[in-house]
C-alpha cells in the first residue's frame, strides 16, 4: 500500500473518506464501516455506504483491495467476487463504540477508537474513555490488544490489571468529533462540464410541474364528473324500472281483487235469490184468509193467585 504512516492511522481518520474505483475512477461512496477480526485484532475490510441519485447498493471490499490511502480518499482495486468478500468477512465485526468491561465484571469505560497499521491492517492499540465512577482520571487511555480477552458487537472484555494500569494518551474529556460534511447528490453532477446552453432552466421545470399538476387536476375533476353523471343516470333508470315493476304488480293485484269481489257478489246475489224464492212478494204480502188467534188478556192471569176472601167478579160475555 502506498503512503507512509509512521505512528499508524486512527479509525476515525479513515471513516467518511471517499472510495474511488481504480479502473473507472468512479466513486463507491464514503467509507461508513471498518471490519475488524476480534480474535486476530486486524482490520480486514471496509464498507461504503449507499447513496446518490442512482440509489446504488452499499459495497464491501477487502483490505487487500485497497491500493492507496490519500488525504481525501481511498483508491480501491475492484474485481473481487462478492461471495469471496463475504466469506473473508464472516468472522469480522464493524467495530464501533462498544462498552469496555474487565474480567472482574466491572464496566470500565467505552471504546471510542483504535490505531492500526495501514500496511498490514494490524491494530496497534485500542483507545477508550473511563466511566465517571471509575478510579481513572478523565481522559483518553490506550490498551494493548494482547490484554483483550474477547470482543462482541456491544462489549469488549479485557484484563482488569491491564485496564487499571492503562497509559493516559490525552488528558481531559475528549471533544466529540465534528460531523462529516454531508454531500448533496447535486455535488456529484459535473456542472463545470455541462455547456451553458444545455443547462436546465429551473423555471421551466417548475412551470412544467405546475402545468402538469393542473392538467392532472382537470383530468381528475373530469373523471369525477363523468362518474357522478353516470351514477345519476343509472340511479334514475333503476328508479324508473322499479316504479314500472311496482305499478305492474299493483295493477295485477287490483285486478285479482276486483275479479274475486265480482265473483263473491254474484254468489251472494244467487244465495239471496234462493232464500227469498218462496216468500210472498208485492200485494201478496197480506192474506185475509189466514186464520188469526184471539186471546183474552184476562185469561193469562191464573185464578190461584187471587186471595179467597176477595172473589173476583167475572164479566159477563156478551
Amino acid at each position: 500500500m502506498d503512503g507512509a504512516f509512521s505512528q499508524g492511522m486512527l479509525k476515525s481518520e479513515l471513516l467518511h473518506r471517499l472510495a474511488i474505483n481504480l479502473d473507472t475512477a468512479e466513486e463507491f461512496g464514503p467509507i461508513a464501516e471498518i471490519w475488524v477480526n476480534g480474535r486476530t485484532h486486524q482490520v480486514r475490510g471496509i464498507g461504503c455506504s449507499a447513496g446518490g441519485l442512482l440509489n446504488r447498493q452499499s459495497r464491501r471490499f477487502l483490505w487487500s483491495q485497497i491500493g492507496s490511502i490519500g488525504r481525501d480518499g481511498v483508491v480501491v482495486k475492484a474485481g473481487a467476487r462478492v461471495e469471496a468478500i463475504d466469506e473473508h468477512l464472516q468472522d469480522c465485526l464493524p467495530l464501533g463504540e462498544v462498552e469496555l468491561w474487565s474480567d472482574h465484571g466491572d464496566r470500565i469505560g467505552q471504546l471510542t477508537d483504535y490505531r492500526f497499521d495501514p500496511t498490514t491492517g494490524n491494530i496497534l492499540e485500542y483507545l477508550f474513555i473511563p466511566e465517571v465512577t471509575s478510579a481513572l482520571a478523565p481522559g483518553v487511555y490506550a490498551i494493548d490488544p494482547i490484554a483483550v480477552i474477547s470482543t462482541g458487537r456491544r462489549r469488549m472484555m479485557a484484563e482488569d490489571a491491564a485496564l487499571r494500569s492503562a497509559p493516559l494518551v490525552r488528558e481531559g474529556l475528549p471533544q466529540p468529533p465534528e460531523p462529516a460534511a454531508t454531500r448533496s447528490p447535486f455535488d456529484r453532477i459535473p456542472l463545470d462540464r455541462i455547456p451553458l446552453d444545455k443547462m436546465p432552466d429551473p423555471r421551466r421545470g417548475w412551470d412544467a410541474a405546475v402545468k402538469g399538476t393542473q392538467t392532472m387536476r382537470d383530468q381528475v375533476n373530469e373523471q369525477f364528473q363523468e362518474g357522478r353523471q353516470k351514477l345519476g343516470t343509472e340511479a334514475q333508470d333503476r328508479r324508473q324500472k322499479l316504479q314500472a315493476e311496482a305499478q305492474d304488480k299493483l295493477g295485477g293485484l287490483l285486478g285479482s281483487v276486483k275479479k274475486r269481489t265480482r265473483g263473491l257478489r254474484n254468489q251472494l246475489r244467487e244465495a239471496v235469490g234462493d232464500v227469498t224464492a218462496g216468500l210472498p212478494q208485492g200485494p201478496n204480502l197480506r192474506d185475509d184468509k189466514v186464520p188469526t188467534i184471539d186471546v183474552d188478556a184476562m185469561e193469562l192471569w191464573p185464578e190461584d193467585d187471587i186471595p179467597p176472601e176477595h172473589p173476583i167478579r167475572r164479566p159477563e160475555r156478551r
Side-chain angles (χ1 to χ4, degrees):
M1 180 185 300
D2 299 336
F5 300 91
S6 58
Q7 298 180 354
M9 186 176 188
L10 292 174
K11 178 200 73 172
S12 57
E13 297 175 352
L14 183 61
L15 288 176
H16 309 300
R17 293 196 183 188
L18 194 63
I20 304 296
N21 191 338
L22 177 63
D23 299 329
T24 62
E26 298 293 334
E27 60 181 65
F28 294 111
I31 299 176
E33 297 173 338
I34 300 178
W35 295 81
V36 176
N37 190 319
R39 294 195 306 270
T40 62
H41 305 287
Q42 187 180 26
V43 176
R44 299 298 303 275
I46 61 173
C48 300
S49 63
L53 296 176
L54 301 179
N55 195 17
R56 295 173 297 177
Q57 297 181 351
S58 59
R59 295 283 302 273
R60 293 193 298 178
F61 303 97
L62 297 177
W63 191 254
S64 58
Q65 294 180 257
I66 296 179
S68 61
I69 301 177
R71 184 181 63 255
D72 301 320
V74 177
V75 179
V76 179
K77 300 175 182 178
R81 295 184 298 106
V82 177
E83 294 79 6
I85 295 175
D86 294 340
E87 183 178 357
H88 282 81
L89 298 181
Q90 62 181 355
D91 296 332
C92 300
L93 298 173
L95 195 61
E97 295 184 356
V98 298
E99 296 179 355
L100 185 60
W101 286 65
S102 69
D103 54 354
H104 289 178
D106 299 328
R107 186 170 61 184
I108 302 301
Q110 186 177 26
L111 186 70
T112 58
D113 208 342
Y114 52 83
R115 190 181 301 277
F116 66 98
D117 184 1
T119 304
T120 61
N122 295 330
I123 295 179
L124 305 176
E125 59 183 3
Y126 291 102
L127 304 178
F128 71 94
I129 55 176
E131 292 283 334
V132 178
T133 58
S134 175
L136 299 175
V140 179
Y141 292 82
I143 182 175
D144 195 284
I146 301 177
V148 177
I149 300 174
S150 60
T151 304
R153 290 185 176 274
R154 298 182 57 186
R155 298 176 183 86
M156 174 182 287
M157 184 170 292
E159 298 176 357
D160 183 73
L163 291 174
R164 297 186 183 278
S165 61
L168 179 64
V169 177
R170 186 168 61 251
E171 297 181 355
L173 295 176
Q175 298 294 329
E178 296 182 0
T182 57
R183 299 183 61 190
S184 172
F186 295 99
D187 295 340
R188 304 182 182 183
I189 301 177
L191 299 179
D192 54 342
R193 301 178 184 178
I194 301 177
L196 295 179
D197 55 346
K198 296 184 179 180
M199 286 285 291
D201 189 357
R203 292 177 299 179
R204 295 181 180 178
W206 175 258
D207 295 340
V210 173
K211 185 177 180 180
T213 304
Q214 293 177 353
T215 303
M216 185 178 297
R217 183 187 59 188
D218 296 339
Q219 292 177 357
V220 171
N221 291 335
E222 184 177 356
Q223 294 177 0
F224 176 75
Q225 294 295 335
E226 292 179 355
R228 186 175 179 181
Q229 294 177 0
K230 183 177 180 181
L231 291 176
T233 304
E234 292 179 355
Q236 185 176 0
D237 295 342
R238 184 174 179 81
R239 184 171 61 252
Q240 294 178 357
K241 183 178 180 180
L242 291 176
Q243 289 179 355
E245 292 178 357
Q247 291 178 359
D248 293 342
K249 292 181 179 180
L250 182 60
L253 181 61
L254 292 178
S256 177
V257 171
K258 186 176 181 181
K259 184 178 181 180
R260 293 183 60 185
T261 304
R262 185 184 301 109
L264 292 176
R265 187 167 62 250
N266 294 334
Q267 293 177 5
L268 182 60
R269 185 182 297 111
E270 293 177 358
V272 173
D274 295 341
V275 172
T276 58
L279 297 179
Q281 300 179 1
N284 297 327
L285 290 177
R286 182 178 180 83
D287 191 0
D288 295 340
K289 298 180 179 181
V290 178
T292 58
I293 302 174
D294 188 9
V295 179
D296 191 356
M298 297 303 295
E299 294 180 358
L300 296 176
W301 298 91
E303 296 181 355
D304 294 340
D305 295 338
I306 301 174
E309 61 271 18
H310 299 285
I312 298 175
R313 299 178 63 181
R314 299 178 180 272
E316 296 180 358
R317 294 182 179 270
R318 294 181 181 181

